Amino acid sequence: MNTNRDCHVVLWRNMYDSSGADQLRKAGCRVTIVEPSDDDKLSSVLADARGLWVRYPQKVTAQILDAAPQLQIVSTSGFGSDNIDIEAATQRGILVVNQRGFGRIPVSEHTIMFMLALARRFLWAEGATRDGSGWDKRTDYPIFELAMKTVGIVGLGYIGSELARKLRIGFGCNVIGYDPFVDPRIPQLLHINRVSSLDELLPQVRFLCLCLELTSDSKNIIGAKELAKLSKDAFVVNTSRGGVLDLEALTSALEADQIAGAALDVYQPEPLPPTHRLFKMPNVIVTPHNAGLTTETNERSTRSAVEQLLAGMAGNMPAFPKNPQAWDATQSRRRGLVHAG
């Protein structure tokens, strides 16, 4: 059985918790960190790499994989794996792993923070307090309570189900969920009113929360047609992936006062240019894709990535494979390396 002694692991950007590189070194790995200024050297650095960790949104393409003839395993930085060509990895016998469930708490908290900030016009209130203009206008801008409101959640996985739980228990919200792939027991246990179509969900909700993974089926799942079905007092909150929401359609809907506002942690592309029209809108709240990057989650997800990289390079099946079929296929890098040893 192969060991990890003297193996080469490439980190495409620093890990979210800086101790991750030290954990790999302690396990006997040689670690190379590829910073933005070194991107043109990535292919040469990968020549003898057996493990690759990639920080979103850097994209692992077939061409990059071809530059790494000894690569056994690719690890994401978080849950999403849409930045990795998994089909190409599978064809080359390379295992892809992600970090599952670690964003459940921080991203659901961030989503509720967004919802409360929109309901209470936090951006206006904070700025107006600082400049002194808010005291005479406290009743000029209506605010409302999140409690008992109807919230639509698209995607009832780790994050969507945790968001639903918090909203139901903490705020007494009426939660409507759309997810054609979810285990039906989850919405039943969480008292979510599961619907079979977006058309049924959209007209009912005050908040539309996007919590789904980006796939070919979910790309731009919310576009102009779907936004037109929301009420004028509805808000859109996206803390999943930028690609599930047509950003130009959202911008146009906001400019036309078709919906009340939005809060975004993710974009397509990332980062958005600072001149984008969204950034000039007072009813839009934005954060730099940091919803899941709490200190606690960074530690947990980095530890998960390190453990999975070490397991995969040792020839063992890691905890969260995205393409387990690659591990036992005839072209598997694991099998070839084990036989060679």
Side-chain angles (χ1 to χ4, degrees), residues 68-139:
Q70 297 184 48
L71 192 64
Q72 293 173 279
I73 183 170
V74 178
S75 171
T76 66
S77 54
F79 177 79
S81 57
D82 50 280
N83 58 320
I84 299 172
D85 189 334
I86 295 179
E87 182 178 356
T90 303
Q91 291 170 353
R92 289 157 179 78
I94 300 169
L95 194 67
V96 177
V97 298
N98 68 348
Q99 321 314 321
R100 297 181 199 172
F102 298 101
R104 178 177 58 87
I105 292 174
V107 179
S108 61
E109 288 183 355
H110 200 95
T111 304
I112 292 174
M113 175 193 74
F114 271 161
M115 298 168 75
L116 289 168
L118 289 167
R120 298 305 179 95
R121 295 182 181 263
F122 179 80
L123 288 186
W124 167 81
E126 203 271 347
T129 304
R130 287 179 182 273
D131 67 24
S133 66
W135 298 99
D136 294 331
K137 298 179 180 178
R138 287 181 296 168
T139 58

Side-chain angles (χ1 to χ4, degrees), residues 20-199:
D22 291 333
Q23 293 173 44
L24 288 166
R25 293 187 184 102
K26 187 175 181 180
C29 298
R30 176 165 55 93
V31 177
T32 301
I33 301 173
V34 178
E35 299 287 8
S37 59
D38 299 322
D39 278 349
D40 58 340
K41 302 175 185 175
L42 178 66
S43 293
S44 61
V45 169
L46 285 171
D48 65 343
R50 288 172 53 194
L52 170 64
W53 180 91
V54 56
R55 184 168 176 165
Y56 193 87
Q58 310 307 317
K59 293 188 179 297
V60 178
T61 63
Q63 182 179 4
I64 288 174
L65 294 173
D66 284 338
Q70 297 184 48
L71 192 64
Q72 293 173 279
I73 183 170
V74 178
S75 171
T76 66
S77 54
F79 177 79
S81 57
D82 50 280
N83 58 320
I84 299 172
D85 189 334
I86 295 179
E87 182 178 356
T90 303
Q91 291 170 353
R92 289 157 179 78
I94 300 169
L95 194 67
V96 177
V97 298
N98 68 348
Q99 321 314 321
R100 297 181 199 172
F102 298 101
R104 178 177 58 87
I105 292 174
V107 179
S108 61
E109 288 183 355
H110 200 95
T111 304
I112 292 174
M113 175 193 74
F114 271 161
M115 298 168 75
L116 289 168
L118 289 167
R120 298 305 179 95
R121 295 182 181 263
F122 179 80
L123 288 186
W124 167 81
E126 203 271 347
T129 304
R130 287 179 182 273
D131 67 24
S133 66
W135 298 99
D136 294 331
K137 298 179 180 178
R138 287 181 296 168
T139 58
D140 292 353
Y141 298 94
I143 60 176
F144 63 93
E145 299 165 4
L146 177 56
M148 310 303 290
K149 297 301 182 290
T150 297
V151 178
I153 300 177
V154 181
L156 297 173
Y158 291 106
I159 294 168
S161 59
E162 176 65 12
L163 175 62
R165 187 187 72 83
K166 285 180 165 71
L167 290 171
R168 283 278 301 161
I169 296 174
F171 296 90
C173 290
N174 171 35
V175 179
I176 305 174
Y178 172 70
D179 187 334
F181 306 107
V182 71
D183 183 329
R185 292 172 295 182
I186 292 176
Q188 184 176 11
L189 287 170
L190 293 173
H191 303 285
I192 300 169
N193 178 19
R194 185 187 179 198
V195 295
S196 59
S197 71
L198 284 173
D199 289 344

Side-chain angles (χ1 to χ4, degrees), residues 198-199 201-204 208 221-234 236 245-246 249-250 252-254 256-259:
L198 284 173
D199 289 344
L201 178 147
L202 295 170
Q204 302 185 56
L208 173 65
I221 192 172
I222 302 298
K225 182 181 73 171
E226 289 74 27
L227 293 169
K229 293 174 181 175
L230 293 169
S231 63
K232 286 193 63 136
D233 64 354
V236 175
L245 173 63
D246 185 333
L250 175 70
S252 297
L254 289 162
D257 292 326
Q258 185 179 314
I259 57 175

